[in-house]
Amino acid sequence: MALEAAGLQAVAFDGVAHGESAGRRTTVLDHVAGMHALQERHGRFAAVVGHSLGGLAAGIAVRDGLAAERYVAIAAPTGFDSVVASFRRLVGLPDALHEALCDRVARDLFPGEPGARERLDLVRHPVAADVPALFVHDVDDRMHGSAEARRLHAAHPGSELLVTAELGHNRVLDDPDVVAAVVEHASASLLVAR
């Protein structure tokens, strides 16, 4: 189902230091700020959809007041600790360094945010139950394992879970079945209202 057929207009942005946007580093809070800026310009959203760090940011934004009817996270980590764990694993740092690395990153990236590790966690602090959520993840995702989506799904009662195979972290975005499921989920509140 195409966005237009569902009555949806897409508004998208590249997060800071992503895609064609400027910058060399970003935080999930930069993504959240971008979403709020878009909402100020375009109004309430039928759905907020994010990939990877953007999926985590979308959930945090909606949880913390961004006006959206629905939420979709594709290949998203569960929170702060999960992002650090993925980084640590990808660069080959041992598990024993996890706590010290999390504490250091939290101090450096969020100096005025006490409790950032807990606050930026969608398992401990999920999106409200009245915002239907869809979690999409591929079993072959090497960035953030599919267990992330299973944990998010468990923390969000009533959410939907779509697990794919052989698509990895990025190709999941181009899969026709994934695109159809995301558009169907995003447009569901519009179809009920008609």
Side-chain angles (χ1 to χ4, degrees), residues 163-178:
V163 178
T164 61
E166 300 180 5
L167 297 173
H169 187 68
N170 291 317
R171 288 191 329 265
V172 68
L173 293 169
D174 297 324
D175 181 74
D177 293 335
V178 169

Side-chain angles (χ1 to χ4, degrees), residues 2-184:
L3 288 174
E4 297 80 24
L8 298 175
Q9 175 187 0
V11 177
F13 75 103
D14 283 335
V16 176
H18 281 69
E20 296 187 23
S21 292
R24 295 186 50 107
R25 76 178 218 182
T26 190
T27 73
V28 69
L29 295 181
D30 294 327
H31 287 263
V32 170
M35 290 176 212
H36 281 285
L38 285 171
Q39 184 143 90
E40 286 177 22
R41 182 174 184 164
H42 298 282
R44 185 176 188 86
F45 297 128
V48 177
V49 180
H51 172 253
S52 197
L53 184 67
L56 172 61
I60 291 168
V62 171
R63 182 198 68 205
D64 291 351
L66 188 78
E69 300 294 323
R70 293 176 164 267
Y71 162 54
V72 179
I74 303 169
T78 57
F80 180 94
D81 277 50
S82 172
V83 172
V84 172
S86 292
F87 170 78
R88 186 180 40 72
R89 184 178 35 76
L90 290 170
V91 299
L93 295 174
D95 293 350
L97 294 179
H98 182 76
E99 287 300 315
L101 184 58
C102 281
D103 288 343
R104 175 65 185 262
V105 170
R107 275 194 318 272
D108 289 352
L109 292 183
F110 307 105
E113 294 277 334
R117 286 177 68 181
E118 182 173 328
R119 180 177 163 257
L120 303 176
D121 186 310
L122 287 176
V123 171
R124 288 189 249 180
H125 303 286
V127 171
D130 64 342
V131 178
L134 168 63
F135 300 103
V136 180
H137 221 111
D138 192 82
V139 295
D140 298 311
D141 186 332
R142 290 181 294 178
M143 179 71 67
H144 307 294
S146 61
E148 298 290 290
R150 294 180 199 289
R151 289 181 61 216
L152 287 166
H153 176 55
H156 292 81
S159 65
E160 297 175 62
L161 177 64
L162 173 58
V163 178
T164 61
E166 300 180 5
L167 297 173
H169 187 68
N170 291 317
R171 288 191 329 265
V172 68
L173 293 169
D174 297 324
D175 181 74
D177 293 335
V178 169
V179 171
V182 169
V183 171
E184 181 179 332

